[in-house]
Amino acid sequence: QVQLVESGGGLVQAGGSLRLSCAASGRTFSSYAMGWFRQAPGKEREFVATISWSGAYTYYSDSVKGRFTISRDNAKNTVYLQMNSLKPEDTAVYYCAVQRLSGTYYDIRSYDYWGQGTQVTVSS
């Protein structure tokens, strides 16, 4: 069983930065890839970024590439999402998730454990 708790969300002006954290319980955290997704009001949950179990590989959606950075610290059972140059369209609830299922990294169905989410609001 894995439990995930996100933190670090908040209200920020356009152009600002936030750093999200996702703390995981369970000894198997370091065995799995982790992902960040987001869901804006009235929209489907969408892929943001993923990181391999070792941290050697990362992938991003086109909408955040070059602005967001995903990282992890397996010793602390934590994955991070550094968000820079934030835009109003980045406003959403951000979720972290564990990829334990087969499938592609950007497919929501590849992830089976989810956190409760943290709200990010970017004002113009």
Side-chain angles (χ1 to χ4, degrees):
Q1 190 80 6
V2 177
Q3 291 185 324
L4 306 173
V5 179
E6 300 98 335
S7 62
L11 174 64
V12 63
Q13 288 189 332
S17 299
L18 282 174
R19 188 194 196 201
L20 305 184
S21 298
C22 173
S25 64
R27 292 175 292 178
T28 59
F29 169 81
S30 60
S31 301
Y32 301 106
M34 298 289 295
W36 283 97
F37 287 73
R38 66 187 182 186
Q39 187 167 19
K43 295 188 177 181
E44 293 186 350
R45 194 169 299 188
E46 65 174 4
F47 168 76
V48 174
T50 187
I51 186 166
S52 62
W53 67 270
S54 66
Y57 301 99
T58 58
Y59 301 96
Y60 300 90
S61 68
D62 288 342
S63 61
V64 308
K65 195 174 299 181
R67 299 188 297 121
F68 290 11
T69 302
I70 188 171
S71 61
R72 68 190 297 163
D73 185 338
N74 286 341
K76 296 182 178 180
N77 278 8
T78 302
V79 64
Y80 305 97
L81 185 68
Q82 178 66 44
M83 306 186 296
N84 298 329
S85 302
L86 283 162
K87 305 175 181 180
E89 51 263 44
D90 294 318
T91 295
V93 177
Y94 283 71
Y95 300 89
C96 67
V98 181
Q99 185 185 7
R100 300 198 313 153
L101 306 176
S102 61
T104 56
Y105 63 84
Y106 51 81
D107 190 337
I108 193 173
R109 295 170 295 182
S110 302
Y111 298 78
D112 60 344
Y113 285 108
W114 294 83
Q116 83 290 348
T118 186
Q119 176 71 48
V120 172
T121 303
V122 184
S123 63
S124 58

